[in-house]
mmCIF file of all heavy atoms in Angstrom:
data_model
loop_
_atom_site.group_PDB
_atom_site.id
_atom_site.type_symbol
_atom_site.label_atom_id
_atom_site.label_comp_id
_atom_site.label_asym_id
_atom_site.label_seq_id
_atom_site.Cartn_x
_atom_site.Cartn_y
_atom_site.Cartn_z
ATOM 1 N N TYR A 286 125.956 69.200 54.205
ATOM 2 C CA TYR A 286 126.192 70.139 55.249
ATOM 3 C C TYR A 286 125.360 71.299 55.197
ATOM 4 O O TYR A 286 124.799 71.829 56.153
ATOM 5 C CB TYR A 286 127.712 70.472 55.357
ATOM 6 C CG TYR A 286 128.054 70.927 56.723
ATOM 7 C CD1 TYR A 286 128.086 70.101 57.745
ATOM 8 C CD2 TYR A 286 128.260 72.321 57.032
ATOM 9 C CE1 TYR A 286 128.238 70.545 59.066
ATOM 10 C CE2 TYR A 286 128.642 72.754 58.329
ATOM 11 C CZ TYR A 286 128.638 71.951 59.324
ATOM 12 O OH TYR A 286 128.895 72.320 60.582
ATOM 13 N N ARG A 287 125.194 71.893 53.900
ATOM 14 C CA ARG A 287 124.249 73.036 53.745
ATOM 15 C C ARG A 287 122.855 72.614 54.227
ATOM 16 O O ARG A 287 122.208 73.355 54.919
ATOM 17 C CB ARG A 287 124.265 73.401 52.377
ATOM 18 C CG ARG A 287 125.412 74.511 51.974
ATOM 19 C CD ARG A 287 125.191 75.078 50.568
ATOM 20 N NE ARG A 287 125.327 73.964 49.583
ATOM 21 C CZ ARG A 287 124.696 73.881 48.368
ATOM 22 N NH1 ARG A 287 123.832 74.898 48.072
ATOM 23 N NH2 ARG A 287 124.950 72.967 47.562
ATOM 24 N N ASP A 288 122.475 71.384 53.840
ATOM 25 C CA ASP A 288 121.135 70.981 54.328
ATOM 26 C C ASP A 288 121.024 70.884 55.776
ATOM 27 O O ASP A 288 120.008 71.275 56.444
ATOM 28 C CB ASP A 288 120.816 69.602 53.641
ATOM 29 C CG ASP A 288 120.594 69.700 52.180
ATOM 30 O OD1 ASP A 288 120.453 70.845 51.777
ATOM 31 O OD2 ASP A 288 120.522 68.647 51.520
ATOM 32 N N TYR A 289 122.140 70.349 56.429
ATOM 33 C CA TYR A 289 122.225 70.340 57.834
ATOM 34 C C TYR A 289 122.011 71.762 58.480
ATOM 35 O O TYR A 289 121.287 71.885 59.435
ATOM 36 C CB TYR A 289 123.533 69.683 58.351
ATOM 37 C CG TYR A 289 123.842 70.048 59.812
ATOM 38 C CD1 TYR A 289 123.144 69.614 60.819
ATOM 39 C CD2 TYR A 289 124.842 70.907 60.074
ATOM 40 C CE1 TYR A 289 123.398 69.951 62.135
ATOM 41 C CE2 TYR A 289 125.207 71.286 61.264
ATOM 42 C CZ TYR A 289 124.439 70.814 62.374
ATOM 43 O OH TYR A 289 124.765 71.229 63.656
ATOM 44 N N LEU A 290 122.672 72.719 57.907
ATOM 45 C CA LEU A 290 122.598 74.055 58.309
ATOM 46 C C LEU A 290 121.105 74.653 58.257
ATOM 47 O O LEU A 290 120.645 75.284 59.178
ATOM 48 C CB LEU A 290 123.658 74.942 57.765
ATOM 49 C CG LEU A 290 125.110 74.737 58.147
ATOM 50 C CD1 LEU A 290 125.998 75.601 57.272
ATOM 51 C CD2 LEU A 290 125.366 75.079 59.625
ATOM 52 N N THR A 291 120.637 74.528 57.045
ATOM 53 C CA THR A 291 119.251 75.056 56.878
ATOM 54 C C THR A 291 118.236 74.378 57.815
ATOM 55 O O THR A 291 117.409 74.968 58.363
ATOM 56 C CB THR A 291 118.772 75.080 55.488
ATOM 57 O OG1 THR A 291 118.878 73.691 54.820
ATOM 58 C CG2 THR A 291 119.564 75.999 54.547
ATOM 59 N N GLU A 292 118.448 73.042 57.888
ATOM 60 C CA GLU A 292 117.499 72.210 58.851
ATOM 61 C C GLU A 292 117.676 72.894 60.211
ATOM 62 O O GLU A 292 116.653 73.038 60.882
ATOM 63 C CB GLU A 292 117.982 70.792 58.698
ATOM 64 C CG GLU A 292 117.000 69.837 59.336
ATOM 65 C CD GLU A 292 115.648 69.982 58.661
ATOM 66 O OE1 GLU A 292 115.590 70.205 57.443
ATOM 67 O OE2 GLU A 292 114.685 69.969 59.377
ATOM 68 N N THR A 293 118.960 73.143 60.615
ATOM 69 C CA THR A 293 119.176 73.622 61.959
ATOM 70 C C THR A 293 118.541 74.990 62.088
ATOM 71 O O THR A 293 117.855 75.356 63.095
ATOM 72 C CB THR A 293 120.701 73.736 62.284
ATOM 73 O OG1 THR A 293 121.188 72.363 62.036
ATOM 74 C CG2 THR A 293 120.979 74.294 63.644
ATOM 75 N N LEU A 294 118.710 75.826 61.110
ATOM 76 C CA LEU A 294 118.029 77.206 61.195
ATOM 77 C C LEU A 294 116.539 77.085 61.329
ATOM 78 O O LEU A 294 115.891 77.745 62.180
ATOM 79 C CB LEU A 294 118.457 77.997 59.940
ATOM 80 C CG LEU A 294 119.810 78.574 59.847
ATOM 81 C CD1 LEU A 294 120.318 78.908 58.413
ATOM 82 C CD2 LEU A 294 119.947 79.787 60.846
ATOM 83 N N ARG A 295 115.949 76.209 60.513
ATOM 84 C CA ARG A 295 114.502 76.059 60.569
ATOM 85 C C ARG A 295 114.105 75.595 61.985
ATOM 86 O O ARG A 295 113.135 76.041 62.519
ATOM 87 C CB ARG A 295 114.010 75.030 59.498
ATOM 88 C CG ARG A 295 113.899 75.535 58.156
ATOM 89 C CD ARG A 295 113.096 74.464 57.342
ATOM 90 N NE ARG A 295 113.460 74.735 55.868
ATOM 91 C CZ ARG A 295 112.834 75.590 55.046
ATOM 92 N NH1 ARG A 295 112.001 76.490 55.714
ATOM 93 N NH2 ARG A 295 113.207 75.711 53.855
ATOM 94 N N GLU A 296 114.847 74.644 62.444
ATOM 95 C CA GLU A 296 114.521 74.031 63.755
ATOM 96 C C GLU A 296 114.584 75.181 64.900
ATOM 97 O O GLU A 296 113.821 75.111 65.798
ATOM 98 C CB GLU A 296 115.504 72.859 64.097
ATOM 99 C CG GLU A 296 114.900 71.516 64.099
ATOM 100 C CD GLU A 296 115.922 70.584 64.670
ATOM 101 O OE1 GLU A 296 116.669 70.089 63.629
ATOM 102 O OE2 GLU A 296 116.031 70.298 65.778
ATOM 103 N N ILE A 297 115.590 75.935 64.752
ATOM 104 C CA ILE A 297 115.841 77.030 65.798
ATOM 105 C C ILE A 297 114.545 77.920 65.895
ATOM 106 O O ILE A 297 114.045 78.098 66.916
ATOM 107 C CB ILE A 297 117.138 77.828 65.487
ATOM 108 C CG1 ILE A 297 118.276 76.893 65.672
ATOM 109 C CG2 ILE A 297 117.199 79.116 66.354
ATOM 110 C CD1 ILE A 297 119.609 77.583 65.238
ATOM 111 N N TRP A 298 114.290 78.470 64.668
ATOM 112 C CA TRP A 298 113.043 79.333 64.716
ATOM 113 C C TRP A 298 111.799 78.627 65.150
ATOM 114 O O TRP A 298 111.180 79.081 66.086
ATOM 115 C CB TRP A 298 112.877 80.005 63.266
ATOM 116 C CG TRP A 298 111.598 80.814 63.481
ATOM 117 C CD1 TRP A 298 110.265 80.495 63.142
ATOM 118 C CD2 TRP A 298 111.527 82.080 64.188
ATOM 119 N NE1 TRP A 298 109.443 81.522 63.609
ATOM 120 C CE2 TRP A 298 110.146 82.509 64.247
ATOM 121 C CE3 TRP A 298 112.484 82.927 64.917
ATOM 122 C CZ2 TRP A 298 109.658 83.620 64.833
ATOM 123 C CZ3 TRP A 298 111.983 84.100 65.482
ATOM 124 C CH2 TRP A 298 110.622 84.533 65.448
ATOM 125 N N SER A 299 111.595 77.410 64.684
ATOM 126 C CA SER A 299 110.415 76.783 65.002
ATOM 127 C C SER A 299 110.287 76.341 66.471
ATOM 128 O O SER A 299 109.309 76.551 67.130
ATOM 129 C CB SER A 299 110.067 75.603 63.981
ATOM 130 O OG SER A 299 110.052 74.430 64.612
ATOM 131 N N ALA A 300 111.445 75.908 67.021
ATOM 132 C CA ALA A 300 111.460 75.475 68.475
ATOM 133 C C ALA A 300 111.348 76.797 69.245
ATOM 134 O O ALA A 300 110.775 76.732 70.418
ATOM 135 C CB ALA A 300 112.740 74.684 68.782
#
Side-chain angles (χ1 to χ4, degrees):
Chain A
Y286 199 70
R287 275 190 292 152
D288 290 346
Y289 157 70
L290 287 172
T291 50
E292 195 55 39
T293 301
L294 283 162
R295 279 191 202 281
E296 248 186 272
I297 290 170
W298 177 261
S299 115

